[in-house]
Amino acid sequence: MSALKNLTAEYALRIGDTSLVLGQRLGEWCGHGPILEEDIALTNISLDLIGQARAFLTYAGELEGRGRTEDDLAFQRDERDFRNNLMVEQPNGDYAHTMLRQFFVSAFHYYFFSELCKSKDTTLAALAEKSLKEVTYHLRHSSEWIIRFGDGTPESNLRMLEAIDTLYRFTGDMFASNDIDNELLKAGIAVDMTVVYANWMKKVESVFAQATLTVPKDCFMITGGIKGIHSEHLGHLLSEMQVLPRSFPGVEW
Amino acid sequence: MQAISEQEREAQFQAKIDRGEIIEAKDWMPERYRKQLIRMMSQHAHSEVVGMLPEGNWITRAPSLRRKAVLLAKVQDEGGHGLYIYCGTETLGISREQMLDDLLSGKAKYSSIFNYPTLTWADIGAIGWLVDGAAIINQTALAKCSYGPYARAMVRICKEENFHHKQGYEILATLMRGTAEQKAMAQDAMNRWWWPSLMMFGPSDANSPNSDELMRWKVKRYSNDELRTRFVDRTVPQAENIGLKVPDADLKYNEQTRSYEFGEINWEEFFNVIKGNGICNKERLMARKKAHAEGAWVREAAEAYAKKKATKNAAA
Ligand SMILES: [Fe+2]
Ligand SMILES: [Fe+2]
């Protein structure tokens, strides 16, 4: 029972870290968006993701039972201890990169949370249900931009192709699983990533088709997030995010 | 129908205002009234949007997830205010593109307070408490202005500003309960933001060129100095309440008027920052220009796609 609890803690950490890192990335856009409406949309999505991070990290801390809060987990861990996937830590790039990353992750989130709603862990199920409502909007918003860019101007199409080239290789890491997933799947707690992947791929193919874009075939997938093997980008993101709590240990904000 | 002279029309307009009636977008108004409102409203909208930059500067470094979420929500509100006021200004017959062009060319202004830098986390508290606090005083007055769309926008916006004000104060109150370093951080923010906040109410009454006309039209209901005093009266006790010192040696309470008397504002600094010599004037405008330029292809793609879709729908 206690072993299962520890595995579930690790599982919640992955979910929380992924939302946290993407929320942090989107926060960098604030005030610099291409139009005011997008500035507002990005802060809105970032806010949802930070909310998810808080809920899943709090739960991870509770399960872990060492008294760590959402903030301890967010601000006092080093990059090797972060469990987010490699996609969300990728830099914002231009708006094509930001929206493609968002689309890949939101589609993943949508089908992942749809499955997690059925979890036997009632807390995870409840958090998934709340998150699902939020990511439904994220997915619609980002899908629309992918279609506009793909089928917009020659320049926007070219920028999409470049973004696909940069980001598609990290899509596999969103579905990466290991023994933890297998154990939790048997217990009815975790989701079956093969199901999530199949749904995700159908969605990507359909949106790409509308956008006159092609899904890459035989792309080598770079993985490592769940083992804490990240790209070099994460360390810089964390050093910025964690600067105050690290500089003033033990104080309240 | 007999044509009436411009003079008669203006007299009727003034009579309407004097009766306390609200002017709506479709109503006749003197060209000068329209121009003044466009100037004020667009400047207000630009301030909401440019104001996202100094606060956005700390989103990625907010010291807790709760603070990060609250700050994101605040900045999102400010963007919403900008959007809402741009829409209100469009009722006067100017497009958002034109307003944006005027901002980027430097023709239109935004509140000078945002040309000061946010250097520490305490500045986020100071902005919420002092800058939003000053904005509330201004906007509560504007909520009673004679132009309906502006007045209604202010009513809606003030509710959110009150929340920002409370959150900012809470940030500083928390710091003032903290370590010596945190207290110093809060006091330093107070020292840097106090005077610029007083400047937000504009030049002193003796030096305010637009005031008479705007008062006559009930666009302005109170003078700059009246509003400034109201702000000081409301804010000084709040500062004392959490142990912050107001950086003004001349500040004293007048029992007779039941109001604070305060020192002379550094008007040279005020006019300098307006002229573009604040620490961040260049950065703020450059950030807006860069966002606009780098967003050009995004807007073009959206337009091209919308056209394609319309053609397809028409053919179907
Ligand atoms: Fe505002
Ligand atoms: Fe505000």
Side-chain angles (χ1 to χ4, degrees):
Chain A
M1 187 57 212
S2 158
L4 212 53
K5 231 178 163 177
N6 284 337
L7 297 182
T8 311
E10 179 78 8
Y11 197 69
L13 206 58
R14 289 181 193 171
I15 305 170
D17 282 350
T18 289
S19 290
L20 174 60
V21 171
L22 187 56
Q24 175 73 8
R25 274 284 182 241
L26 293 179
E28 294 170 13
W29 268 105
C30 180
H32 306 283
I35 38 171
L36 183 53
E37 283 83 347
E38 284 306 292
D39 250 323
I40 296 171
L42 290 182
T43 40
N44 188 12
I45 295 170
S46 175
L47 186 57
D48 286 342
L49 291 165
I50 297 300
Q52 290 167 15
R54 295 181 66 190
F56 282 100
L57 291 183
T58 298
Y59 187 47
E62 280 168 20
L63 289 169
E64 184 194 50
R66 285 167 49 197
R68 289 203 286 182
T69 64
E70 58 181 54
D71 286 335
D72 294 331
L73 289 169
F75 296 101
Q76 303 296 341
R77 279 180 304 150
D78 294 325
E79 52 189 296
R80 287 285 282 110
D81 297 322
F82 268 76
R83 294 292 177 259
N84 59 281
N85 64 54
L86 297 176
M87 177 67 77
V88 291
E89 68 199 43
Q90 297 311 306
N92 286 335
D94 65 6
Y95 214 59
H97 279 76
T98 290
M99 273 303 124
L100 184 66
R101 184 187 62 197
Q102 194 62 44
F103 169 64
F104 284 151
V105 178
S106 298
F108 161 75
H109 264 159
Y110 181 81
Y111 296 108
F112 177 80
F113 286 133
S114 298
E115 292 299 309
L116 194 62
C117 287
K118 303 174 219 159
S119 173
K120 281 198 177 136
D121 183 306
T122 51
T123 307
L124 284 183
L127 294 181
E129 207 170 308
K130 181 171 182 293
S131 306
L132 183 60
K133 286 194 195 112
E134 296 163 350
V135 303
T136 304
Y137 160 70
H138 306 173
L139 178 57
R140 196 182 63 221
H141 175 261
S142 55
S143 302
E144 285 169 0
W145 278 110
I146 300 310
I147 296 167
R148 280 187 201 113
F149 288 161
D151 194 18
T153 61
E155 179 178 2
S156 68
N157 181 274
L158 185 65
R159 284 176 185 266
M160 275 313 297
L161 296 181
E162 281 166 0
I164 294 168
D165 190 50
T166 311
L167 294 173
Y168 194 74
R169 62 206 165 112
F170 297 115
T171 53
D173 203 39
M174 300 190 294
F175 308 97
S177 61
N178 58 11
D179 290 346
I180 295 172
D181 296 72
N182 299 337
E183 285 300 311
L184 291 175
L185 187 58
K186 267 187 264 166
I189 293 171
V191 310
D192 186 344
M193 281 296 193
T194 60
V195 174
V196 179
Y197 177 73
N199 288 328
W200 179 86
M201 185 49 97
K202 246 186 266 164
K203 180 72 183 179
V204 171
E205 279 170 350
S206 134
V207 169
F208 270 33
Q210 283 172 268
T212 71
L213 297 164
T214 330
V215 181
K217 291 271 173 278
D218 307 319
C219 175
F220 184 84
M221 288 299 161
I222 302 167
T223 58
I226 57 176
K227 285 181 290 184
I229 307 293
H230 293 279
S231 61
E232 289 178 347
H233 302 297
L234 183 66
H236 296 283
L237 177 143
L238 293 181
S239 63
E240 184 174 348
M241 183 177 86
Q242 298 178 335
V243 63
L244 276 178
R246 297 281 187 125
S247 309
F248 302 86
V251 309
E252 255 193 70
W253 297 97
Chain B
M1 206 173 93
Q2 204 178 350
I4 56 170
S5 74
E6 194 78 353
Q7 256 175 339
E8 280 172 289
R9 271 186 152 173
E10 285 204 22
Q12 283 174 4
F13 178 81
Q14 189 61 52
K16 205 169 158 185
I17 296 226
D18 293 342
R19 286 195 301 272
E21 285 177 38
I22 297 296
I23 308 300
E24 293 298 337
K26 288 190 199 106
D27 298 344
W28 184 88
M29 60 187 83
E31 219 26 53
R32 177 93 188 133
Y33 179 89
R34 184 187 304 275
K35 282 228 168 73
Q36 285 282 34
L37 271 158
I38 288 177
R39 180 185 62 81
M40 286 176 69
M41 290 176 76
S42 66
Q43 180 172 331
H44 191 163
H46 295 326
S47 302
E48 301 281 356
V49 174
V50 176
M52 294 170 84
L53 294 169
E55 295 192 277
N57 185 36
W58 281 90
I59 284 180
T60 55
R61 290 177 291 170
S64 76
L65 294 184
R66 182 173 80 88
R67 294 288 184 207
K68 195 190 288 290
V70 170
L71 183 55
L72 276 164
K74 177 189 196 287
V75 173
Q76 190 192 345
D77 285 348
E78 306 300 6
H81 297 170
L83 201 56
Y84 196 54
I85 303 171
Y86 279 130
C87 291
T89 318
E90 282 182 322
T91 63
L92 291 161
I94 182 171
S95 71
R96 204 164 119 198
E97 287 72 33
Q98 183 61 53
M99 288 185 257
L100 208 57
D101 285 347
D102 290 346
L103 172 69
L104 298 182
S105 73
K107 190 181 155 207
K109 300 283 179 222
Y110 55 88
S111 180
S112 261
I113 191 95
F114 298 121
N115 292 319
Y116 290 86
T118 49
L119 301 179
T120 72
W121 170 249
D123 290 18
I124 297 305
I127 289 188
W129 173 47
L130 296 174
V131 177
D132 285 66
I136 289 168
I137 305 262
N138 270 330
Q139 293 172 9
T140 307
L142 285 166
K144 288 177 238 153
C145 85
S146 58
Y147 189 55
Y150 199 17
R152 286 190 293 272
M154 290 306 102
V155 172
R156 193 168 127 175
I157 284 171
C158 274
K159 285 186 195 142
E160 289 176 350
E161 301 295 12
N162 279 314
F163 188 68
H164 302 163
H165 180 249
K166 224 179 269 169
Q167 294 293 343
Y169 189 59
E170 203 223 315
I171 288 177
L172 291 177
T174 307
L175 292 174
M176 290 306 287
R177 282 196 308 268
T179 63
E181 277 170 309
Q182 285 178 302
K183 284 178 191 159
M185 194 189 275
Q187 184 61 55
D188 171 58
M190 176 72 173
N191 296 347
R192 284 182 290 111
W193 290 93
W194 174 256
W195 290 106
S197 300
L198 295 197
M199 294 177 197
M200 280 177 73
F201 297 93
S204 62
D205 294 350
N207 240 326
S208 186
N210 292 315
S211 273
D212 283 352
E213 183 182 58
L214 293 174
M215 292 276 231
R216 185 160 44 84
W217 280 331
K218 293 188 182 170
V219 172
K220 266 178 125 167
R221 310 297 301 250
Y222 309 93
S223 79
N224 292 354
D225 286 336
E226 274 178 285
L227 293 176
R228 191 168 6 247
T229 302
R230 195 176 294 179
F231 172 74
V232 172
D233 286 345
R234 194 175 291 188
T235 310
V236 171
Q238 293 169 353
E240 285 168 352
N241 206 21
I242 55 174
L244 279 172
K245 279 192 205 66
V246 179
D248 179 356
D250 298 324
L251 185 80
K252 60 172 182 284
Y253 189 68
N254 183 327
E255 292 286 351
Q256 236 116 54
T257 58
R258 294 176 166 272
S259 184
Y260 281 93
E261 287 163 8
F262 46 93
E264 183 64 18
I265 287 170
N266 182 347
W267 294 113
E268 197 187 323
E269 175 182 324
F270 174 80
F271 288 111
N272 248 323
V273 177
I274 286 186
K275 261 185 263 163
N277 297 327
I279 295 187
C280 296
N281 292 62
K282 235 191 178 63
E283 279 82 354
R284 300 292 184 241
L285 211 52
M286 264 161 52
R288 290 312 315 160
K289 280 183 183 165
K290 186 164 177 274
H292 192 71
E294 286 178 358
W297 72 268
V298 174
R299 298 187 298 273
E300 281 160 20
E303 211 174 296
Y305 177 75
K307 261 188 208 147
K308 273 188 207 177
K309 210 175 158 189
T311 321
K312 263 185 222 160
N313 285 350

